[in-house]
Structure formats: structure tokens, C-alpha cells
Amino acid sequence: QVQLVESGGGLVQAGDSLRLSCAASGRTFSSYTMGWFRQAPGKEREFVAFISWSGVHTSYANSVKGRFTIFRDNAKNTVYLQMNSLKPEDTAVYYCAADPRSRTYYSGPGAYDYWGQGTQVTVSS
């Protein structure tokens, strides 16, 4: 069983930055594929970013490409989402998720077995 705890959300203004963290339990974190997703009010959960177990492979939703960066520190069992140039449309609950299979590509939300509780990000205009 893997437990994921997100932190770092908050209320910011458009153009500001935030860094989200996701701390994972378990001694095999370094083999997990990790992802960030978000869900805005009244909308379905959507993919934000993916990172492979090694950190070499990443991918992003077009809406955040060039503004968000996903990275991980396997020694700390933590994955991060650095969010720059935030926009009001980035307002959502952000979730991290873990896929225990070591993938080098994003394979859809169904591949992720474990999910955190989410952290709220609100961007005011």
C-alpha cells in the first residue's frame, strides 16, 4: 500500500508561482511512475504532468507546457510540481498519483493505483 500526501497549495495571484509536493510512503518509491492531475469545479479530472521512475522521462498537458515542471527526489520519496506564471484557469484541486509499474511514458489515469487527497490551488485574476 502506498500513501500519498500533497502539500503546497494556496491562494495566489495570476503570474505567481507555487511548488506542490507529494510525499510518498513505501520503500519502492523510486520504481513508481508518478503523475499530477487536477480537477476544477464542475469539470472532470485532467492530466497535468507525468514523470518516469528515473525522472528522465516527463510529459505535460498542453495547457501547462512551458509553465509547469515535474521533478522528483527519490531519496526523499517526494515528487514536485513547480508551477510558474499561474493563470486563473489553473485553479483546481491538484492530486498526485502513483503507478507502481516503471513506465517511460504516460499511459492514462487508469494506470495509477494510488491517489492522494489533493491540495487546493486558487489563482485570482
Side-chain angles (χ1 to χ4, degrees), residues 70-82:
I70 186 171
F71 59 102
R72 65 192 296 163
D73 185 339
N74 286 342
K76 295 183 178 180
N77 278 17
T78 301
V79 62
Y80 304 91
L81 185 68
Q82 177 67 41

Side-chain angles (χ1 to χ4, degrees), residues 10 20 37 43-44 58 108 113:
L20 305 184
F37 297 78
K43 295 187 177 181
E44 294 187 352
T58 59
D113 295 347

